[in-house]
Amino acid sequence: MLNLSLLISSNFISTMASGSNSLIWFRKGLRLHDNPALEYAAKGSKFLYPVFVIDPHYMEPDPTAFSPGSSRAGLNRIQFLLESLVDLDLSLKKLGSRLLVLKGEPSEVLIRCLKEWSIGKLCFEYNTEPYYQALDVKVKNHASVAGVEIFSPVSHTLYNPADIINKNGGSPPLTYQSFLKLAGQPSWASTPLSTTISSLPPIGNTGNFAVSEVPTVKELGYEDLNEDERTPFKGGESEALKRLRESIANKEWVANFEKPKGDPSAFMKPATTVLSPYLKFGCLSSRYFYQCIQDIQKSVKKHTSPPVSLLGQLLWRDFFYTVSFGTPNFDQMKGNRICKQIPWKNDDELLAAWRDARTGFPWIDAIMTQLRKWGWMHHLARHSVACFLTRGDLFVHWEKGRDVFDRLLIDSDWAINNGNWLWLSCSSFFYQYHRIYSPTSFGKKYDPAGNYIRHFLPVLKDMPKEYIYEPWTAPLSVQRKARCIIGLDYPKPVVSHDSASKECRMRLGEAYELNKKLNGLVSEEHLNKLRRKNDDESTILDSISRRKKQKLIG
C-alpha cells in the first residue's frame, strides 16, 4: 500500500512565499503551449529565470557503451533533446526571455539558484519517474525550509496518477478497462487549454553562474553522427505542432485509426503519427493532443473507440504511467509484485546478436537496424523484436531488451518502455504466451516483396523475394547471384524458430505453474532449480534431434 500523502496531488504550495523572483525548472514539458508551471511562474513576477540543467548522469559521454551516447541515452535521443531545447530557447527569446542552461547535479544546481537569485517562487512540471521523484524531494525540502513557494502541477499526463490510485483504494488498476472506468473524463477536458503566452517577465541578474547557450553534441564531447546513422525526426515544440497539424488534417484517418492495424514495414511514410518522442519530452502537450482528437471525433459521424482509437493510445500512456507510479520496483522482475518470476537465460551472445542485428532473421535484423539508426520503429515492429528476444525464441531476460530500447529509442519513456516489455514478455498484463510473432511470416504479411528489409539490410537487396525472409533456404546458386552467401555475408539463424519457440512455451508453462503453486513467492533458488531442469531437458531434446538427423543422413 502506498503512502499517498507522499505522492502529492496536483501541486503543493508553501504558505511561506517571499520575493518576486520566479524560477521555472524545465525537465520535460519543453514547450510554451499548455504549460501551467510556466504560466504560474510568470504571473506577478518581477524577474523570471527559465532554467534547464545539463545532467551529467544523462548527458556525459560513455566510451564503454555499445553505441555513441552517455551511459543512459544514445546520441540520437541526446540530439533530439538538444534540438528541443534550441527550439524552446528561440520561443522564449521571442517573448524577451531565454533559456538559462546550467550544468551539474540538478538538485545541487537548483538549490544554489534559489539562494543566489533570491527566488520566491519555484515552478516545475510534476514528474512520476523514481529518479526525478528523488531529486524533487531534495529540492522541495530545501525550498520549503527557505520559504520558497512551490508550484508543481501535473501536466505531462492526462490524469494525476495519484488520484487514480486513491480512487482504487491505494493500489493502481492493473487492467486497461479498470483504468478507464476509474479515470472517466479528465476534469480539464471540457474547458479550453491555454495555448499561447503573449509575454514573459525579463531575466534578472544571473550573478556568478556559468550560464551557457544550448550546447551542441560536439560541445558535450561527442562526434557528430553520420547522416546515415541520424534519426530523421527533429526535436522541438515547433516540429511537434507541425506534425500534429499534419496528422489531424485528415479527419477520416483520425476517426478510423485502429491499433493494432497499421503497417510496421512502412518507413518512407510511417503508418502512425510519430508523435511519441514529442510527447516523451513534453514538446507536445498530451492534454492538447487529447482535445484536438476530441474535437475531430465530435465533427464526424462515426469513429473508433478505446482501446484501439487514437484517443485510446493516449489513454494507454496514462495507464502505464499510473501503474508504474504505484508499483515499487516496476522496472525489474525481482521485488515487483505484478511481475511473474521467470528463469530467463542470461546469454550475452544471443543478446548481442539481437542488439546488433545479427540474428540471421532479416525481419528482426532490419527492425533492430532501424532502431539503431532512427531511434524509432512502428509499435508492431517493437512487438516483433521484443517477443523474439524473450518468450518467442531466445528466452533472454526482458530487462536486457528494455535496456537496449531505453538507450536507443528517441521516445524511450520510463513508464511505457517498462510496461511494454513486461507485457510483451508475458511477465505482466498479458499472459497468452503461446501467441508468438513469427520472425518470418509476420513481416511478409505486410511487405511480401521485402522492401523494408532491402532498405535497412542492403546486403540482402538482391535476394529474390521468395527467399528474402528466410535467405538460408535459398540454393547456393541463388545466394551467389544475389552476392550474399549465408554464413559469410549475412549470418545463419541463431536458432531454429520452430524448436526454439516450442522450448520457450515449455519453459514459460513451467514458470507459470511454479508462480501459481508458490502464489508468486518465487525465490532465486526456485528459479535456479527450474533453470537447471529446463537446461537438462533442452540438452536431452537436442541430443534426440541430432540422432534423428544422423539416422536420416545415414
Side-chain angles (χ1 to χ4, degrees):
M1 192 71 74
L2 287 166
N3 180 352
L4 291 172
S5 64
L6 297 177
L7 297 183
I8 305 174
S9 59
S10 62
N11 59 58
F12 159 70
I13 301 177
S14 161
T15 55
M16 300 180 288
S18 64
S20 57
N21 294 348
S22 295
L23 189 150
I24 168 79
W25 179 19
F26 286 102
R27 296 98 68 86
K28 294 176 186 172
L30 305 179
R31 63 180 185 271
L32 298 192
H33 75 279
D34 182 34
N35 194 331
L38 177 61
E39 278 185 55
Y40 192 81
K43 205 180 290 175
S45 296
K46 187 180 178 185
F47 296 114
L48 172 64
Y49 296 83
V51 167
F52 183 87
V53 183
I54 298 282
D55 185 349
H57 180 67
Y58 279 101
M59 306 285 261
E60 216 163 69
D62 179 5
T64 66
F66 69 81
S67 74
S70 70
S71 61
R72 300 301 301 267
L75 195 47
N76 263 326
R77 188 155 85 250
I78 290 170
Q79 178 69 55
F80 191 94
L81 169 59
L82 295 177
E83 288 167 355
S84 302
L85 294 173
V86 166
D87 187 67
L88 177 63
D89 185 42
L90 286 170
S91 299
L92 290 169
K93 281 173 177 167
K94 285 173 189 168
L95 298 173
S97 185
R98 65 167 282 210
L99 190 63
L100 305 172
V101 179
L102 305 171
K103 191 174 181 182
E105 198 281 328
S107 62
E108 290 171 11
V109 172
L110 256 290
I111 288 166
R112 195 180 146 211
C113 289
L114 297 181
K115 287 177 187 168
E116 295 200 18
W117 295 341
S118 303
I119 299 298
K121 190 161 62 173
L122 169 64
C123 304
F124 53 92
E125 187 177 65
Y126 191 66
N127 195 317
T128 54
E129 287 183 33
Y131 178 72
Y132 289 100
Q133 288 275 300
L135 279 183
D136 293 359
V137 167
K138 286 185 205 170
V139 174
K140 283 173 178 168
N141 285 346
H142 172 86
S144 45
V145 169
V148 175
E149 180 183 353
I150 302 162
F151 183 67
S152 182
V154 174
S155 52
H156 187 64
T157 48
L158 304 175
Y159 303 90
N160 183 344
D163 291 347
I164 305 280
I165 291 165
N166 264 328
K167 276 188 189 177
N168 201 44
S171 61
L174 296 180
T175 68
Y176 182 76
Q177 291 304 334
S178 59
F179 168 80
L180 286 188
K181 273 184 197 165
L182 284 162
Q185 179 86 332
S187 55
W188 47 265
S190 53
T191 50
L193 295 167
S194 171
T195 54
T196 53
I197 290 179
S198 52
S199 66
L200 288 172
I203 290 165
N205 185 353
T206 55
N208 299 318
F209 273 90
V211 175
S212 74
E213 293 285 332
V214 177
T216 63
V217 288
K218 280 191 171 175
E219 285 165 347
L220 286 174
Y222 298 100
E223 294 295 317
D224 263 333
L225 282 168
N226 297 330
E227 197 61 43
D228 184 44
E229 300 283 324
R230 196 180 298 164
T231 182
F233 309 114
K234 191 172 184 287
E237 179 183 20
S238 305
E239 192 67 27
L241 293 173
K242 179 180 160 223
R243 188 169 278 279
L244 174 67
R245 282 192 298 273
E246 287 168 359
S247 297
I248 62 175
N250 185 344
K251 288 186 179 183
E252 195 182 333
W253 182 83
V254 173
N256 295 323
F257 184 93
E258 197 173 343
K259 191 180 175 182
K261 291 178 183 175
D263 182 356
S265 68
F267 61 93
M268 294 310 284
K269 190 179 185 299
T272 65
T273 62
V274 195
L275 286 170
S276 54
Y278 302 94
L279 289 165
K280 179 257 184 322
F281 283 107
C283 301
L284 174 65
S285 155
S286 61
R287 307 192 312 173
Y288 180 57
F289 188 17
Y290 183 99
Q291 282 196 340
C292 290
I293 299 168
Q294 241 192 354
D295 291 346
I296 288 170
Q297 289 186 344
K298 283 172 189 167
S299 72
V300 295
K301 285 182 182 173
K302 202 172 77 168
H303 59 79
T304 52
S305 301
V308 298
S309 63
L310 203 52
L311 211 57
Q313 303 319 297
L314 274 178
L315 292 163
W316 273 113
R317 178 177 180 265
D318 264 63
F319 168 65
F320 280 134
Y321 264 85
T322 303
V323 182
S324 69
F325 188 54
T327 307
N329 304 311
F330 183 70
D331 59 347
Q332 58 191 58
M333 179 174 84
K334 215 170 177 182
N336 180 350
R337 64 184 174 79
I338 70 165
C339 181
K340 289 205 181 292
Q341 303 299 299
I342 294 166
W344 301 108
K345 292 177 188 172
N346 284 312
D347 191 319
D348 289 340
E349 282 184 29
L350 285 178
L351 174 70
W354 174 83
R355 182 193 71 202
D356 301 337
R358 293 185 285 104
T359 67
F361 290 90
W363 172 242
I364 300 298
D365 292 342
I367 295 167
M368 294 306 289
T369 303
Q370 185 184 21
L371 168 62
R372 183 182 282 265
K373 291 186 171 188
W374 287 25
W376 183 90
M377 65 284 207
H378 188 275
H379 55 267
L380 289 178
R382 299 179 195 212
H383 292 190
S384 291
V385 294
C387 177
F388 183 85
L389 180 72
T390 57
R391 65 186 169 88
D393 291 79
L394 304 187
F395 212 70
V396 170
H397 204 312
W398 64 266
E399 289 175 23
K400 305 274 188 182
R402 182 274 320 279
D403 289 346
V404 172
F405 270 31
D406 187 40
R407 175 174 194 77
L408 295 178
L409 282 171
I410 55 172
D411 61 6
S412 178
D413 187 305
W414 188 83
I416 299 163
N417 191 28
N418 281 295
N420 277 322
W421 277 95
L422 282 162
W423 187 297
L424 287 158
S425 64
C426 281
S427 294
S428 193
F429 306 115
F430 177 77
Y431 304 108
Q432 295 174 40
Y433 60 82
H434 55 278
R435 290 175 62 185
I436 287 169
Y437 290 88
S438 164
T440 52
S441 59
F442 183 71
K444 202 183 287 184
K445 193 166 61 172
Y446 298 93
D447 180 23
N451 294 326
Y452 176 79
I453 290 168
R454 294 176 206 283
H455 179 83
F456 286 105
L457 299 177
V459 67
L460 291 166
K461 70 180 183 344
D462 297 322
M463 190 64 71
K465 70 174 185 179
E466 56 268 40
Y467 301 113
I468 189 82
Y469 284 88
E470 298 172 272
W472 63 90
T473 64
L476 196 54
S477 58
V478 172
Q479 294 180 33
R480 283 197 186 109
K481 196 176 174 189
R483 296 187 298 281
C484 181
I485 307 298
I486 303 307
L488 187 65
D489 302 303
Y490 179 72
K492 290 177 180 175
V494 289
V495 290
S496 155
H497 172 63
D498 286 347
S499 56
S501 59
K502 274 179 197 162
E503 189 180 323
C504 284
R505 282 194 285 263
M506 184 235 356
R507 287 178 181 247
L508 271 168
E510 293 192 353
Y512 271 38
E513 279 301 314
L514 182 66
N515 277 263
K516 190 178 172 185
K517 183 180 161 188
L518 299 174
N519 202 21
L521 301 172
V522 180
S523 68
E524 193 61 42
E525 197 180 328
H526 290 126
L527 289 180
N528 283 332
K529 197 175 172 185
L530 186 53
R531 201 174 275 120
R532 282 192 297 273
K533 180 179 177 286
N534 288 159
D535 289 345
D536 290 345
E537 286 169 356
S538 183
T539 305
I540 291 164
L541 288 171
D542 281 351
S543 173
I544 293 166
S545 174
R546 275 198 302 274
R547 281 204 296 272
K548 278 182 180 174
K549 276 182 187 172
Q550 281 165 356
K551 274 184 183 175
L552 286 169
I553 292 163

